[in-house]
Amino acid sequence: NQINGRLIHQNAVLSESDGFFIRDGFAEINLFEAFEDVSIQSQNPEPFQVQFDYENRQFSFEFPVESIFQPFIVINRDNAALRSKPSNSSGQTLANLEIDSFIPLQEITEDGWFSLRYNLMDAYVSSDDAFIEWRLGQAENIAAMQAEDVAYGDVDIEVGLREVPVQDNRVGVIFALGNYRGSVVDIPNADRSARLARDYMITTLGISQDRIITISDMKLSDWEDFSQRIDSLNLGSVRMEHPESELFVYLVGHSQANDQNRLQLVPTDYQEHGNTIFLSEFFNAFGRFNASKRIFILETDFARGSLLGQVAQLSTLRGAALRETAQSFIQDHPQTAIFYGVNNGQQAGIFASPDGRVNNVYGFFTYYFFQALKNGQIEAGDIFRHVQRNVTFTSRRYYDRPQDPQFFGPATLRVGVEVNGD
């Protein structure tokens, strides 16, 4: 016989269902079908009651919630941090979760953090960012939704920057080429990389906010307009009359080598056989500016595979191309440091593990370059040694492929700023 039953919790009817059957004197209940939409928000819920009427009698049975339901944590805000340790310290974010994500709860720590499993490892969510909800423990109902972006400030190099006084002789230019048209793949987090570079220019390199130029998603015409407004005293809209001006240029974007092994930057309106900027011309444009020191930080590679979203193939790029392009400029401007994110034909990597356990969002080169500045490295050679050692190792570890940053210029050239205590 099919009968109607009720699920009761704390004297409230949570659900009614006709999925009750009486067979041979036993009541059979399909709890999943009857109560799949039921949930209880409580850390220590009181027992359930199941009631049903049969042959003019009411039957009632009590059972613990945990005998049927499973505890989940439910995220109550966007971009809630999923951390590797039960701590709000920076640099421990594994992922950021969207609101209403829910994940099975393992336990509650002594400090009140919610412990769970994420990619076969222990992970933690603050009790301020989630609540406990009891549901039927069906695997297909588990939905941990990672937010598209890790919140700015959750990556360790984004916080705790080393602060220096404003340097009146310094000026910065940032190029963030992230959104390409046609078959060229976009570069993730290019705008965020620009924000990071700006924060470091202001805080750690001492460049005044009004002397930083940011050019996003640069088309060829944008470059032509900007480069035409570079002369001995002017960088676009910024005028510098200091006799010892120092120039800092950061670029994130695509590049390539043409059939003659000449290096080219790729604007966002790139075409198969046009709309490129020769790297030598890029350097030479800044050579017109009357600077006593020039620092170029290039988060790019010259592998066509990167351009098209493919695995980079063995490059035909002549081995000396990077060195010759850099040294040709440095010969005329000896107080110049040029940092490349890769060696010839290699593919630049993003600092995120394939299993999702680590997501530092930036390119390896950008991450470790600014980490060196955060750590207080001053001279170009010291910064490069930190970058080279870490990028080479980490690329092998995460992608099993080489990425060997390059540096050209005087090792003793000062990039950072000394402050009291250095």
Side-chain angles (χ1 to χ4, degrees):
N1 296 326
Q2 185 173 355
I3 59 175
N4 183 267
R6 298 168 296 281
L7 182 67
I8 298 174
H9 186 256
Q10 293 183 328
N11 299 318
V13 177
L14 300 181
S15 178
E16 294 190 56
S17 173
D18 57 3
F20 287 53
F21 295 86
I22 302 295
R23 292 190 179 95
D24 300 326
F26 290 91
E28 296 180 0
I29 308 169
N30 186 329
L31 286 176
F32 179 69
E33 290 183 0
F35 308 125
E36 61 178 324
D37 296 326
V38 172
S39 62
I40 297 174
Q41 294 181 19
S42 175
Q43 185 166 319
N44 298 298
E46 296 182 6
F48 282 130
Q49 281 187 319
V50 172
Q51 289 183 355
F52 60 90
D53 299 317
Y54 179 66
E55 293 185 347
N56 298 319
R57 293 179 58 189
Q58 185 180 83
F59 296 85
S60 179
F61 301 92
E62 186 176 279
F63 60 91
V65 169
E66 57 267 28
S67 67
I68 301 296
F69 279 28
Q70 179 177 350
F72 291 80
I73 64 164
V74 182
I75 303 301
N76 59 20
R77 71 173 183 88
D78 280 327
N79 288 318
L82 181 66
R83 300 183 179 274
S84 59
K85 296 180 179 179
S87 168
N88 285 315
S89 301
S90 62
Q92 296 174 350
T93 300
L94 301 174
N96 277 62
L97 304 177
E98 293 180 352
I99 192 169
D100 295 331
S101 298
F102 57 100
I103 310 172
L105 172 69
Q106 282 197 130
E107 62 180 0
I108 303 173
T109 70
E110 292 182 357
D111 294 333
W113 285 73
F114 297 143
S115 172
L116 51 99
R117 294 291 288 176
Y118 175 77
N119 285 334
L120 303 180
M121 66 180 297
D122 290 332
Y124 302 88
V125 171
S126 170
S127 57
D128 293 334
D129 295 338
F131 57 86
I132 296 176
E133 187 171 271
W134 293 80
R135 307 181 179 193
L136 287 170
Q138 299 293 317
E140 60 267 26
N141 284 343
I142 297 173
M145 300 171 288
Q146 182 170 334
E148 291 184 0
D149 297 315
V150 177
Y152 193 86
D154 280 340
V155 180
D156 57 355
I157 60 168
E158 297 171 339
V159 294
L161 277 60
R162 180 174 173 271
E163 297 185 13
V164 305
V166 172
Q167 310 294 300
D168 292 334
N169 63 330
R170 292 191 159 190
V171 60
V173 184
I174 299 169
F175 297 94
L177 286 66
N179 299 304
Y180 284 82
R181 74 178 192 184
S183 59
V184 178
V185 300
D186 294 340
I187 294 181
N189 297 310
D191 288 340
R192 183 169 178 151
S193 295
R195 178 180 176 181
L196 182 77
R198 180 179 175 84
D199 284 353
Y200 271 84
M201 285 187 179
I202 294 170
T203 306
T204 303
L205 297 177
I207 304 176
S208 175
Q209 295 187 44
D210 59 1
R211 294 199 299 273
I212 298 175
I213 300 168
T214 300
I215 302 176
S216 298
D217 295 333
M218 179 178 68
K219 300 187 292 293
L220 180 60
S221 60
D222 297 328
W223 166 250
E224 291 173 342
D225 175 68
F226 175 72
S227 63
Q228 288 170 4
R229 293 184 290 126
I230 300 177
D231 57 32
S232 60
L233 297 177
N234 296 284
L235 280 169
S237 60
V238 176
R239 183 174 179 84
M240 291 287 291
E241 298 186 9
H242 197 287
E244 297 292 326
S245 294
E246 297 180 357
L247 169 66
F248 292 79
V249 178
Y250 173 83
L251 179 141
V252 54
H254 283 302
S255 302
Q256 68 173 10
N258 67 6
D259 293 338
Q260 290 75 44
N261 286 310
R262 292 191 65 188
L263 308 180
Q264 300 172 316
L265 302 177
V266 176
T268 57
D269 59 344
Y270 166 78
Q271 297 175 2
E272 184 67 24
H273 299 290
N275 284 22
T276 59
I277 304 163
F278 284 114
L279 183 59
S280 57
E281 295 177 0
F282 179 81
F283 288 147
N284 289 336
F286 290 106
R288 297 196 299 268
F289 179 66
N290 185 25
S292 63
K293 181 187 300 181
R294 297 172 180 84
I295 311 296
F296 294 92
I297 308 153
L298 304 180
E299 175 65 86
T300 187
D301 61 35
F302 300 91
R304 186 165 177 77
S306 298
L307 207 66
L308 303 177
Q310 303 166 352
V311 177
Q313 303 297 315
L314 182 64
S315 175
T316 60
L317 177 62
R318 182 163 47 87
L322 288 176
R323 174 175 54 82
E324 289 179 352
T325 302
Q327 290 185 346
S328 176
F329 181 79
I330 293 172
Q331 183 176 355
D332 296 327
H333 308 282
Q335 294 301 298
T336 297
I338 298 177
F339 296 87
Y340 293 115
V342 297
N343 201 351
N344 303 327
Q346 295 176 346
Q347 193 162 3
I350 301 296
F351 201 157
S353 60
D355 61 8
R357 290 170 57 182
V358 176
N359 185 10
N360 287 330
V361 306
Y362 299 102
F364 290 132
F365 171 69
T366 289
Y367 180 90
Y368 284 114
F369 184 91
F370 289 113
Q371 185 184 70
L373 292 179
K374 179 180 177 180
N375 291 346
Q377 302 291 350
I378 301 295
E379 295 185 349
D382 292 333
I383 292 172
F384 177 65
R385 279 187 286 274
H386 177 85
V387 170
Q388 182 185 43
R389 178 175 62 252
N390 286 285
V391 170
T392 300
F393 170 80
T394 312
S395 179
R396 289 287 189 183
R397 177 185 176 189
Y398 282 87
Y399 295 102
D400 193 26
R401 70 186 185 210
Q403 181 176 339
D404 304 304
Q406 300 293 297
F407 164 70
F408 300 93
T412 56
L413 193 68
R414 293 202 169 187
V415 177
V417 179
E418 285 189 353
V419 295
N420 293 335
D422 284 340

